[in-house]
Amino acid sequence: MLKTVTFTLMHFCIAFSVAYVLTGSLAVGGLVAAVEPLCNSVGFYFHEKIWKRFEKDDKSKSAIPRHAWLHHHA
C-alpha cells in the first residue's frame, strides 16, 4: 500500500511540475495534477477490460488439444 501511495504522490508532483513549467501558472499546474491522474485511472480501467478479453481468447485456444482441432472447426 505504501508503494501505491508514494507512486500516486510522485505522479501528482510530476503532472504539476510539467504543467507549471509549460504554462507558468500554479492554477493550471494544480488543475492538471488533479485531472490527469483521474483520466489515466479511467483509461487504465478500460485498458484492463480490453486486455482481459484478449487473455481469455488466448486461454480458450490453448485449452483445445492440437489433435482435436478438426472437431472444433466443424
Side-chain angles (χ1 to χ4, degrees):
M1 182 65 173
L2 180 60
K3 184 178 177 181
T4 302
V5 171
T6 58
F7 179 79
T8 301
L9 288 172
M10 181 188 69
H11 192 127
F12 280 114
C13 290
I14 291 170
F16 173 81
S17 299
V18 170
Y20 178 71
V21 167
L22 291 175
T23 65
S25 169
L26 290 174
V28 172
L31 186 61
V32 169
V35 172
E36 189 269 339
L38 177 64
C39 293
N40 270 331
S41 297
V42 172
F44 183 75
Y45 170 79
F46 289 109
H47 179 265
E48 286 297 305
K49 286 187 71 101
I50 291 167
W51 269 105
K52 284 186 187 223
R53 287 185 179 178
F54 285 112
E55 290 171 347
K56 186 187 297 184
D57 288 345
D58 288 343
K59 287 179 185 175
S60 65
K61 288 178 186 174
S62 65
I64 299 170
R66 293 193 78 158
H67 67 277
W69 69 270
L70 181 61
H71 298 289
H72 294 282
H73 292 286

